[in-house]
Amino acid sequence: MALSEWVRESRKYILGTIILVLVLAFIPFIIGFDQYLLLILSTAAIFAVFVVAWNIIGGYAGQLDLGAFAYIALGGIVAAQLLVVYNITPWIGMFVGAGVSAVLAAAIGYPTFRFGIKEVWYALLTAALVVILNNIFHLPEVLGSLDHYLPPANGWYYLKFPVYENIYWFILAMLAIVVFINLWVSKSKVGYYLRAIREDELAAEALGIDVRKYKLEALVLYAAILGFMGYVYIVIAGTYSYHTFDSPHSIAIAIMGIIGGLGSIAGALTSAITLKVVEEYLRASIGATIPGIHLLIYGLLLIIIGIFKPDGLAGIYESLKKRRTSGRKKISGGGNP
Amino acid sequence: MTRKFRKALSKAATVSIIVIIIIAVAAGIAYYYYQSAAPAPTATTTTSTISSPSPTQTTTSTAATKPKISVIKIGLIEPLTGSHAVFGQEAKEAAELAVDVINNELGGIKSLGGAKLQLIVQDSGESPDNARLAAEKLISQYHPNIVIGAYISRLTAAVAEVTERSHTILFMDGLVDDLTQHGWKYVFRAAPKASAHGKSAVDFIIDMAKKKGIKVKTAIVLNEDSVFGTYVGNGATLELVKNGIKVLDHITYPYDISDVSSIINKIKSEKPDVVISVPYFHDAVLIAKAIKSQGIHLMFIAGAGGCGYTDPDSIKAAGDAVLYYTQTYSFNPFRPTKWDQKLVSMFKEKYGKIPTEAGGIILYTMFTIYAGLEKAGQMYPNDPLNPDNLRNVFLSLDLTDNNSIAGQLYPTGHIKFLPNGDNEYAGTAILQVQRINGTLQPVLVWPEPQPGVQPVFPRPDWTPSG
Amino acid sequence: MMDPILVTNNVLDGLLMGLLYSLVALGLALIFGVMDIINFAHGDFVMIGAYTAWLLAMAFWVDPSVTAIITVPLFFIIGIGIYKLVIEPVLGAEPLIQIAVTVGLGYVFQNIALALWHAEPKSFPAPWLNFSISAGGITLSVAKLIAGGISIISLYLIHYMLTKTKFGLAVRATSANREVAPLMGINVKKVYAITFGIGTALTALGAALYMSWGQTNPYLGQSFSLLSWVIVAMGGLGGVIGVLYSGLIVGVLEALGSTFITPSARLAVVYLAFFLLLWFRPRGLFARR
């Protein structure tokens, strides 16, 4: 699709996203640059980026990817190692990281889709991928057991600051870009095909859609975004090691994606931000009373949302909307962007 | 605004409302619990066995002409959940006990007009991004004067970045060697380094072998593969090589391993004289049981690295499978000094077990802080809590058995900080599981055995082969 | 050069562990095969089962494996309860919703265990079976041999139940076509509930056997969850035989990875093999559909 056409098609969403991001960008001034709140916002925002990116493979293409941190950690570690060993700025390193993650995704994705692995088998493969990379990077020949540190220096060259507002704004800018990518995918032929594949893969294939190609494109795009953002995650985590290949975090991203509602950008954004903030709120407020109580409540929340709203957060809204509009005898059409 | 965008926004609003309701309920429950549970620790200590002046002194001394300080905030960030929770929870218990003793029995910080310590605890979970959130929460909401944390090195590193930025003193209870090598200015660590644990385990064996006239020729180093286990394992390997003992194999494994038979089979086929094992906690139980099950009779099996074979909980879980195992600790719960005995028995009274690694480190760290704050009141009466002043105070401390509680709690009886924050006189103690009056107990065997105890070396079931 | 006796011994140990893995994974395979539920809390059932076995063993001072007599029926009932409360509402939901719900269930289990029993490892200090027999330089733990034996018997019993009994017929009919099954007079909800109960009871059996030489802590489930899934996926939905073979394969691969590379990378070996296998047999070794 031509760029100008895309801009015309999704002008409303683009405008909306820009306004949303500008509003979010203004928050630091309201909260007086409180570093704790800024860190929560940054963490929530970076997870929002991950979840919105996940939406491409999980939401549009309908592949249950549980391997987000395989790509995040790989891309991040590549960029970090380039900085630590060769003093190459992450502004270059992040692109290299994105490239490496994309290549890995292509190498894994090609045979996986070629041999028709999908559904739970695909989910297990991607979950296993995180463990495999964790083990491989743990070998003494790769990263070994040690924690690795970024250089102590700060500044834009290192994309690393003693305070969080700069990184927060950077993540927000990335968030806007990733939302645009999503919008573009959703509006383009690719998105149309992907949705067709998600609904009924056999039928899509019968219509002559190259199922493998579009799934692979979605996977590579998703991996590249995650790989790019990996360095930023490492900046927030402070150190990197084989632990960065984190299985529970990977599943958490998929869960945020599904809680948001498959294929809904707004849902993905809302669920990433609310779940992350809720998790942190519970940890900070009650985590020290009975250890684990916050995770227990978080687990109950997941169960309750899952049981009562199997369509995710987007579904909660839809049902509310339906109730309201049916009262007014007016049905509004249109799905989620 | 367009309809769809409005729709997205109002969707967010709907969701937020639902979430806020859930949070409010959860927070209400938690707050209720917190309110009812919080006063408990201070109340229970009045029942402790040690006769002490009445601890219910609530008002601070009014003698202060200096800046009025009524409360000194100590932040504690520990992994209370996740696979490292076993350490974080004991650390929290020890910190609560120490603060209680300082506030009530010792009457707070006397040189600061009897100012009380206030402990603020945060859970770091098991990932560094959570640890960092915990640190920011502490620093920005509570402005603690001193922070302690966070046991696991990558969590400690995440905390240190935050405390360094805000110039807050951080006492680290993570032992990984390189934590004091990152140029951080406001960090201190009283506990010995990880590699020192490995070294002590080997020194103990060499010392014992010499006393008994046995020659140790070969060894296997077996360590769990985290950064901590690696440092301890490497410390042991270096010391073995230095002493001319042949290292037959260096085996690493993940601490969440569910079956250790392939490792034990390997040890069996390589027939070393001794095994230096750096376990985590769960794996120690598995290894000890598997070695017993296989009927392997080695000259000695020495644990290194603060936890595993001789903790009360390990003995409970593994039974006589851990008989005669030793383990190095950063804390000596059997030091024959007044305060060591007193705090250990208070801890035992309160929590039903003796403090070992995680709790012990926190005990002497807390009393080092206590000593430092007392001195700060004297050295800098006008600005005692300024971080640079505090740093100078801690660097100037020279704590020994005679002049401090912290010294009495420390294995070597001596704490003096080097400019990088490490303790110049760091050292470990070695405990061994022995059967005393029919029950399995950890006893102190090295550097000096506790009164009435002899180290058992070699293992009684060892049959020297030609 | 690796000592051949050591390799043989490790492989035999791996086979015994593989039998136990099969037993645990069979519960998952039943649940997934019959009702298409993606259960990510399976390992946490093992963890809770292990704690229950430990509690009973400590209370009656018997070997944990003996407690299976109580824990297996108990977990059958608990399984049905959990099914009614949590699983039934998400039947037929998006797979990821099921993952979200069961991951949430796992969090709940883990943190209940953490609150009740703290994080220290728990184990029965005086197991009766903690000795080994050796022949020709090969040493095998008696506890593991017995666990392996009971696993085989249980696998056979489940196989028998599925192929020879009326209930087994109902289970197979339901899993083959859940629209048609009710028309044949099969109470699908009941089949589901009982299947989930059996799946849960199998984790309790596996956990009780494991506690004869193992230990438990709140995070024990993490060692079993993904591994069980990989066994189920490798076996395909080929019933008991598929699970048995892929469990054994996983056990042996783990042992070989530990022996020839390092125990630190043993899971990478298993999962890499899983990758290759799926690429060549996308529906597992004994695929049915």
Side-chain angles (χ1 to χ4, degrees):
Chain A
M1 180 181 346
L3 190 67
S4 59
E5 192 190 328
W6 171 69
V7 171
R8 203 164 347 107
E9 272 279 287
S10 19
R11 202 172 47 211
K12 302 162 185 173
Y13 302 119
I14 295 172
L15 207 62
T17 311
I18 291 174
I19 290 173
L20 181 72
V21 164
L22 284 180
V23 168
L24 288 175
F26 192 67
I27 292 181
F29 298 100
I30 301 171
I31 58 177
F33 293 91
D34 180 297
Q35 290 298 310
Y36 171 57
L37 296 178
L38 270 176
L39 180 59
I40 296 183
L41 286 174
S42 308
T43 314
I46 197 168
F47 273 86
V49 173
F50 296 154
V51 175
V52 174
W54 184 89
N55 192 44
I56 298 172
I57 183 79
Y60 296 140
Q63 304 300 307
L64 308 181
D65 199 286
L66 301 180
F69 268 77
Y71 306 115
I72 295 168
L74 183 65
I77 288 172
V78 165
Q81 284 288 83
L82 284 176
L83 177 62
V84 170
V85 181
Y86 303 103
N87 198 24
I88 295 172
T89 171
W91 291 98
I92 299 168
M94 285 160 76
F95 285 99
V96 179
V100 173
S101 287
V103 168
L104 174 76
I108 302 287
Y110 181 78
T112 301
F113 296 135
R114 162 77 185 73
F115 297 117
I117 295 166
K118 52 195 173 192
E119 294 162 17
V120 71
W121 288 268
Y122 179 83
L124 294 174
L125 267 196
T126 52
L129 179 64
V130 182
V131 181
I132 292 173
L133 288 174
N134 176 304
N135 278 204
I136 289 176
F137 275 75
H138 196 164
L139 293 174
E141 294 80 10
V142 192
L143 282 184
S145 296
L146 301 190
D147 299 317
H148 294 253
Y149 289 75
L150 294 172
N154 287 311
W156 282 104
Y157 182 84
Y158 303 96
L159 200 57
K160 182 169 163 284
F161 309 92
V163 286
Y164 302 111
E165 47 266 22
N166 294 327
I167 203 86
Y168 173 63
W169 285 322
F170 177 78
I171 297 171
L172 278 187
M174 287 310 301
L175 184 60
I177 292 171
V178 176
V179 170
F180 292 153
I181 293 174
N182 254 263
L183 284 172
W184 182 78
V185 170
S186 139
K187 288 281 158 190
S188 71
K189 217 166 49 188
V190 182
Y192 174 75
Y193 289 150
L194 285 177
R195 273 194 296 272
I197 294 169
R198 189 183 86 197
E199 293 312 323
D200 191 338
E201 193 166 325
L202 288 176
E205 214 154 23
L207 287 173
I209 297 174
D210 190 344
V211 171
R212 276 183 232 153
K213 182 176 154 228
Y214 290 116
K215 277 191 192 168
L216 192 62
E217 281 180 5
L219 178 65
V220 169
L221 186 57
Y222 152 76
I225 297 171
L226 294 186
F228 188 83
M229 292 304 286
Y231 177 79
V232 183
Y233 176 78
I234 287 177
V235 166
I236 289 184
T239 55
Y240 60 99
S241 65
Y242 65 98
H243 286 289
T244 315
F245 294 93
D246 188 331
S247 301
H249 270 38
S250 302
I251 295 177
I253 285 173
I255 287 176
M256 289 177 197
I258 188 78
I259 295 284
L262 288 182
S264 156
I265 299 172
L269 270 176
T270 325
S271 91
I273 293 174
T274 41
L275 281 183
K276 206 67 202 167
V277 171
V278 167
E279 191 191 334
E280 166 56 16
Y281 177 81
L282 291 173
R283 187 204 62 72
S285 58
I286 58 178
T289 53
I290 308 172
I293 185 82
H294 58 298
L295 292 174
L296 198 149
I297 294 176
Y298 187 76
L300 285 176
L301 264 177
L302 290 182
I303 296 177
I304 291 166
I305 298 177
I307 288 179
F308 292 104
K309 269 300 139 203
D311 318 325
L313 295 182
I316 296 181
Y317 173 74
E318 287 299 322
S319 59
L320 283 174
K321 178 102 185 164
K322 215 172 277 169
R323 204 171 301 161
R324 210 183 322 153
T325 49
S326 67
R328 276 185 270 142
K329 287 274 180 229
K330 194 177 143 206
I331 287 142
S332 82
N336 302 299
Chain B
M1 242 331 75
T2 70
R3 181 160 48 92
K4 283 201 178 156
F5 187 65
R6 261 207 325 272
K7 184 168 150 186
L9 274 187
S10 73
K11 180 184 300 177
T14 321
V15 167
S16 315
I17 291 168
I18 296 169
V19 167
I20 286 166
I21 294 170
I22 296 170
I23 294 173
V25 172
I29 297 167
Y31 188 72
Y32 174 77
Y33 174 82
Y34 192 69
Q35 285 301 306
S36 55
T42 38
T44 48
T45 40
T46 49
T47 62
S48 70
T49 48
I50 300 108
S51 61
S52 59
S54 168
T56 47
Q57 179 194 352
T58 44
T59 49
T60 52
S61 165
T62 49
T65 53
K66 307 150 204 163
K68 179 134 176 64
I69 296 162
S70 56
V71 151
I72 299 154
K73 291 177 184 159
I74 310 284
L76 179 74
I77 301 173
E78 294 288 342
L80 302 175
T81 55
S83 39
H84 317 299
V86 59
F87 309 111
Q89 295 194 0
E90 192 185 299
K92 177 177 174 257
E93 290 169 351
E96 282 168 354
L97 176 71
V99 165
D100 191 38
V101 169
I102 292 169
N103 282 349
N104 296 320
E105 202 172 326
L106 301 169
I109 310 297
K110 294 228 172 62
S111 72
L112 298 175
K116 304 287 185 200
L117 301 188
Q118 183 195 353
L119 187 69
I120 304 148
V121 185
Q122 289 278 309
D123 174 22
S124 67
E126 55 182 328
S127 73
D129 46 337
N130 279 335
R132 191 172 194 138
L133 276 166
E136 285 292 356
K137 167 89 181 168
L138 257 184
I139 297 290
S140 77
Q141 311 291 106
Y142 298 101
H143 310 289
N145 305 99
I146 292 169
V147 174
I148 307 172
Y151 208 85
I152 304 300
S153 64
R154 62 184 193 284
L155 307 181
T156 311
V159 172
E161 290 207 12
V162 176
T163 52
E164 278 295 299
R165 189 199 68 219
S166 64
H167 295 199
T168 310
I169 301 283
L170 171 66
F171 272 85
M172 303 189 291
D173 58 350
L175 306 190
V176 166
D177 291 33
D178 67 23
L179 278 174
T180 47
Q181 292 158 17
H182 296 289
W184 294 327
K185 192 177 160 197
Y186 298 97
V187 297
F188 291 95
R189 171 166 64 186
K193 291 178 191 170
S195 58
H197 277 267
K199 183 174 177 297
S200 317
V202 175
D203 289 346
F204 165 70
I205 286 180
I206 290 167
D207 195 19
M208 284 297 129
K210 202 184 284 166
K211 275 183 191 153
K212 303 275 174 171
I214 304 168
K215 180 97 183 105
V216 180
K217 293 190 212 83
T218 56
I220 284 182
V221 176
L222 171 66
N223 68 265
E224 56 92 3
D225 60 13
S226 77
V227 56
F228 174 73
T230 305
Y231 266 110
V232 181
N234 291 347
T237 309
L238 274 177
E239 189 71 2
L240 285 167
V241 171
K242 213 169 84 187
N243 285 282
I245 297 172
K246 194 173 172 214
V247 180
L248 297 175
D249 207 343
H250 189 157
I251 307 171
T252 66
Y253 61 92
Y255 55 71
D256 58 356
I257 195 165
S258 52
D259 182 48
V260 293
S261 48
S262 68
I263 297 169
I264 306 304
N265 291 340
K266 208 163 181 197
I267 291 175
K268 195 178 179 194
S269 80
E270 290 177 356
K271 298 186 184 63
D273 289 337
V274 297
V275 168
I276 311 288
S277 168
V278 189
Y280 191 70
F281 212 139
H282 324 133
D283 47 337
V285 176
L286 286 179
I287 290 172
K289 282 192 161 184
I291 286 182
K292 182 175 156 71
S293 158
Q294 288 256 19
I296 301 177
H297 304 300
L298 300 176
M299 183 196 292
F300 206 72
I301 303 159
C307 74
Y309 294 116
T310 64
D311 301 68
D313 282 300
S314 311
I315 297 174
K316 246 185 248 167
D320 59 4
V322 289
L323 188 58
Y324 307 127
Y325 279 64
T326 57
Q327 187 83 49
T328 63
Y329 284 98
S330 309
F331 173 67
N332 181 350
F334 301 107
R335 255 197 110 207
T337 56
K338 178 184 159 223
W339 275 95
D340 193 281
Q341 290 313 300
K342 174 169 167 164
L343 284 166
V344 167
S345 66
M346 282 176 90
F347 191 96
K348 204 172 169 186
E349 172 105 349
K350 196 164 171 182
Y351 304 112
K353 60 175 186 187
I354 58 165
T356 50
E357 182 76 2
I361 294 175
I362 293 294
L363 284 180
Y364 58 67
T365 300
M366 269 298 182
F367 282 95
T368 305
I369 292 171
Y370 169 73
L373 289 171
E374 282 290 4
K375 195 169 178 188
Q378 292 152 9
M379 265 173 83
Y380 299 99
N382 297 321
D383 193 6
L385 299 180
N386 175 303
D388 291 295
N389 291 347
L390 276 179
R391 181 170 182 269
N392 288 337
V393 168
F394 284 118
L395 284 175
S396 74
L397 286 180
D398 190 354
L399 304 174
T400 60
D401 278 357
N402 300 326
N403 68 7
S404 66
I405 299 173
Q408 295 192 11
L409 294 170
Y410 200 76
T412 61
H414 199 166
I415 299 174
K416 187 172 186 340
F417 291 109
L418 297 166
N420 74 352
D422 266 326
N423 181 3
E424 192 180 342
Y425 300 97
T428 60
I430 294 182
L431 305 188
Q432 183 171 41
V433 181
Q434 294 190 5
R435 202 186 292 276
I436 310 275
N437 304 328
T439 53
L440 297 173
Q441 280 172 18
V443 292
L444 176 68
V445 292
W446 202 77
E448 284 298 323
Q450 72 190 75
V453 163
Q454 282 300 315
V456 177
F457 186 98
R459 295 176 64 84
D461 57 5
W462 173 56
T463 41
S465 53
Chain C
M1 191 52 223
M2 208 53 80
D3 178 3
I5 291 181
L6 171 65
V7 177
T8 319
N9 205 344
N10 282 356
V11 168
L12 287 175
D13 268 314
L15 282 171
L16 290 178
M17 269 319 267
L19 284 173
L20 187 77
Y21 290 151
S22 305
L23 179 66
V24 171
L26 181 61
L28 191 63
L30 275 176
I31 293 168
F32 179 62
V34 173
M35 57 186 98
D36 245 342
I37 280 284
I38 302 184
N39 179 6
F40 265 49
H42 197 69
D44 298 301
F45 279 105
V46 177
M47 179 268 293
I48 295 284
Y51 270 111
T52 315
W54 170 75
L55 283 174
L56 290 168
M58 295 299 275
F60 299 108
W61 209 251
V62 292
D63 193 89
S65 56
V66 178
T67 66
I69 300 166
I70 302 174
T71 59
V72 168
L74 180 70
F75 269 66
F76 179 72
I77 296 163
I78 291 177
I80 291 178
I82 298 269
Y83 167 80
K84 286 283 175 199
L85 267 177
V86 179
I87 304 298
E88 203 174 81
V90 293
L91 277 176
E94 285 270 7
L96 258 171
I97 279 289
Q98 300 172 350
I99 292 179
V101 166
T102 49
V103 166
L105 191 64
Y107 273 140
V108 171
F109 283 168
Q110 284 168 22
N111 292 292
I112 287 177
L114 184 66
L116 287 180
W117 300 296
H118 302 285
E120 286 86 5
K122 301 296 184 201
S123 178
F124 184 60
W128 305 342
L129 305 172
N130 200 26
F131 60 95
S132 302
I133 48 170
S134 47
I138 307 270
T139 312
L140 291 173
S141 148
V142 172
K144 271 186 207 163
L145 283 169
I146 290 178
I150 295 180
S151 297
I152 287 192
I153 294 170
S154 315
L155 289 166
Y156 177 75
L157 286 178
I158 299 283
H159 181 69
Y160 181 86
M161 183 203 77
L162 285 176
T163 50
K164 298 278 156 51
T165 65
K166 212 173 149 200
F167 176 72
L169 187 68
V171 168
R172 280 182 298 138
T174 315
S175 88
N177 194 327
R178 55 183 68 83
E179 276 78 44
V180 178
L183 304 177
M184 308 305 220
I186 295 169
N187 184 344
V188 173
K189 285 275 158 69
K190 196 172 146 196
V191 169
Y192 282 178
I194 292 176
T195 310
F196 202 87
I198 293 174
T200 314
L202 287 175
T203 64
L205 178 59
L209 295 173
Y210 176 67
M211 283 305 279
S212 263
W213 75 90
Q215 55 78 31
T216 185
N217 64 78
Y219 306 100
L220 179 72
Q222 289 169 359
S223 314
F224 285 96
S225 270
L226 187 57
L227 207 59
S228 300
W229 264 113
V230 165
I231 290 168
V232 172
M234 272 170 76
L237 293 173
V240 178
I241 302 295
V243 173
L244 174 63
Y245 281 126
S246 60
L248 291 177
I249 290 172
V250 165
V252 170
L253 282 176
E254 238 187 23
L256 292 177
S258 293
T259 314
F260 288 102
I261 304 171
T262 152
S264 295
R266 75 201 197 291
L267 284 178
V269 175
V270 173
Y271 293 149
L272 273 173
F274 172 59
F275 255 77
L276 295 178
L277 191 129
L278 268 204
W279 280 347
F280 293 107
R281 300 210 48 133
R283 284 287 179 270
L285 282 172
F286 300 86
R288 191 183 54 184
R289 53 174 185 186

